[in-house]
Amino acid sequence: QAQLVESGGGLVQAGGSLRLSCAASGIIFSIYDMAWYRQAPGKQRELVARIRSGGYTDYVDSMKGRFTISRDNAKKTVYLQMNSLKPEDTAVYYCNGRLSDTNYWGKGTLVTVSS
């Protein structure tokens, strides 16, 4: 069955960088739109960035210029490069794969940014 597994989270100081990875299995990865979401304590889950199956990307305005989403279809992996991290970026980051009405979610990876 479909599975998305995130990795790369951890503790980083403000201004630092992290690279998240999401490895997919059980799906035809290349035809899925992939995205990263995040959920901070006490807040709703929000979209961070999306990369379409054709490679087009879009970002939430507050992440533009700091975060970069990319994908490697051969490795069935989507990445999120996060630079200039801020304490308000602290959240659990989730990987999402979507094809039409089908949605798959990973279990998340925790990113903590200290001030």
Side-chain angles (χ1 to χ4, degrees), residues 34-53:
M34 301 300 297
W36 287 96
Y37 286 74
R38 71 183 185 184
Q39 187 166 18
K43 295 188 177 180
Q44 289 190 327
R45 191 173 297 190
E46 63 174 351
L47 176 67
V48 173
R50 178 182 291 119
I51 183 165
R52 311 286 180 175
S53 58

Side-chain angles (χ1 to χ4, degrees), residues 62-100:
S62 60
M63 282 61 145
K64 285 182 179 178
R66 297 193 300 125
F67 292 5
T68 303
I69 189 171
S70 61
R71 66 191 296 162
D72 185 332
N73 288 339
K75 294 183 178 180
K76 296 186 177 181
T77 301
V78 61
Y79 304 97
L80 185 68
Q81 177 67 44
M82 305 187 294
N83 299 326
S84 303
L85 283 162
K86 306 174 182 179
E88 51 264 42
D89 294 318
T90 294
V92 177
Y93 284 71
Y94 296 92
C95 179
N96 169 263
R98 186 181 68 181
L99 177 65
S100 185

Side-chain angles (χ1 to χ4, degrees), residues 17-45:
S17 298
L18 280 176
R19 188 195 197 202
L20 306 183
S21 299
C22 170
S25 60
I27 62 172
I28 304 174
F29 179 80
S30 62
I31 65 174
Y32 274 72
D33 293 340
M34 301 300 297
W36 287 96
Y37 286 74
R38 71 183 185 184
Q39 187 166 18
K43 295 188 177 180
Q44 289 190 327
R45 191 173 297 190

